[in-house]
Amino acid sequence: MAQITISCSIPVDDEVVTEFVHKHAGRSRVSAANMLRMGEKGCFYTGPLYTDEHAKVSRLLRRILAFFESKDIPLTILKIGAQDSWHAVDPEQRDPWKISPQALLALLDARPDGHA
């Protein structure tokens, strides 16, 4: 199953954003603040798509995308396939794995077998 990570494309130091990540991504406040200040290298969400809890994950990811869009904070979203490993992702060359928020929404709308 595909997996994704989400980080801010730019460093963020904002208490409202930190509280949102704490509440919705399950990070401690300190961890959330640290991840947000790291920008693109501070992945505050990592998880698989198309699990038994797809509906719950889909709602969470949509909430994350909408929140950051409302704050005008760009996100870096990386996606790897079921056979891939995060160890293969070069932190300095992330472009081959980057997807847009719209592409993530399309993935959320698709079924695991690739059909809408």
Side-chain angles (χ1 to χ4, degrees):
M1 81 191 67
Q3 293 192 55
I4 62 159
T5 65
I6 302 175
S7 60
C8 293
S9 299
I10 57 173
V12 174
D13 189 5
D14 181 294
E15 288 183 34
V16 172
V17 178
T18 299
E19 187 62 26
F20 178 88
V21 170
H22 162 68
K23 182 178 177 183
H24 292 90
R27 301 275 184 181
S28 71
R29 285 178 181 85
V30 171
S31 174
N34 289 338
M35 294 288 180
L36 291 167
R37 282 193 293 266
M38 290 173 65
E40 197 171 72
K41 293 184 179 179
C43 299
F44 60 81
Y45 178 87
T46 300
L49 297 176
Y50 311 124
T51 66
D52 291 340
E53 295 189 358
H54 181 70
K56 181 180 174 182
V57 170
S58 179
R59 283 190 302 274
L60 171 62
L61 293 175
R62 290 171 195 279
R63 192 173 299 133
I64 289 171
L65 294 176
F67 175 81
F68 281 91
E69 182 178 349
S70 76
K71 295 289 187 184
D72 290 323
I73 299 172
L75 295 175
T76 297
I77 304 167
L78 305 179
K79 175 189 160 287
I80 62 171
Q83 310 307 324
D84 298 323
S85 165
W86 288 116
H87 298 292
V89 177
D90 181 349
E92 304 304 320
Q93 295 293 324
R94 297 168 181 237
D95 287 345
W97 295 278
K98 284 184 181 178
I99 63 170
S100 69
Q102 295 78 17
L104 177 55
L105 289 172
L107 286 171
L108 296 175
D109 290 339
R111 294 193 325 231
D113 58 9
H115 297 94

